Amino acid sequence: MKAGHARVLDYVAAVTVTTGGRALPLGGVALPNRRLVLRWLRRQALRLADAHGRSVPPPAPWLGGRDVRPVAFHGSDAPEALRAWAGDRGSQDHALSALESGLPALLTVVDPFVGLRVTLGAWPVDLWGWTAAASAEHPSPRHLRTEGA
């Protein structure tokens, strides 16, 4: 990458937990394509599900420590729902289609015993479009001169 050029990341993904009306982030990433972001979400769903009643699986070296923190589930419904979503081809295709259409892909599972909600989500981010729109609304002042430049 050349100096001065920003790297554009087209998708973000995040996992949050909501309990008692408070949402807390467990982790997130920005990745260059929808397949990678969905791969990350599947991995996090399986990590959260597999950590139920067991030790947390080790972080993936390719993620550089960007795996989410574990959650203590009290029932088995939420971990099983996470595992089912991660392994269901139809759910994955639906999520890819949503992202391709510019829509978010979201999954929320609930641990009804304690009212814990875990949401896995991915969103497309149009950084170039946002930058172009911001530049159009606020043109650079060409008449200003910078001294010493």
Side-chain angles (χ1 to χ4, degrees):
M1 181 172 15
K2 292 182 183 177
H5 292 298
R7 182 171 169 215
V8 176
L9 299 171
D10 296 323
Y11 294 89
V12 294
V15 179
T16 58
V17 62
T18 306
T19 183
R22 238 179 109 195
L24 303 168
L26 295 178
V29 294
L31 295 166
N33 69 58
R34 65 184 179 276
R35 292 195 185 279
L36 285 177
V37 84
L38 193 58
R39 179 180 173 192
W40 184 84
L41 282 178
R42 277 195 318 266
R43 175 173 170 72
Q44 302 318 308
L46 291 172
R47 275 180 56 81
L48 290 168
D50 290 346
H52 178 64
R54 299 178 227 158
S55 60
V56 179
W62 65 275
L63 286 172
R66 293 183 291 176
D67 281 325
V68 298
R69 294 185 300 269
V71 172
F73 293 108
H74 297 275
S76 62
D77 291 348
E80 287 308 312
L82 289 167
R83 197 173 282 110
W85 177 81
D88 181 41
R89 181 88 170 155
S91 294
Q92 303 310 306
D93 289 344
H94 180 72
L96 281 172
S97 294
L99 291 171
E100 186 176 26
S101 299
L103 300 171
L106 300 170
L107 169 72
T108 298
V109 296
V110 178
D111 185 345
F113 294 103
V114 291
L116 183 80
R117 299 170 59 90
V118 175
T119 301
L120 290 81
W123 299 265
V125 178
D126 180 9
L127 292 178
W128 287 116
W130 176 81
T131 304
S135 295
E137 291 175 19
H138 304 290
S140 62
R142 299 182 202 283
H143 65 280
L144 293 179
R145 206 172 73 171
T146 305
E147 296 298 323

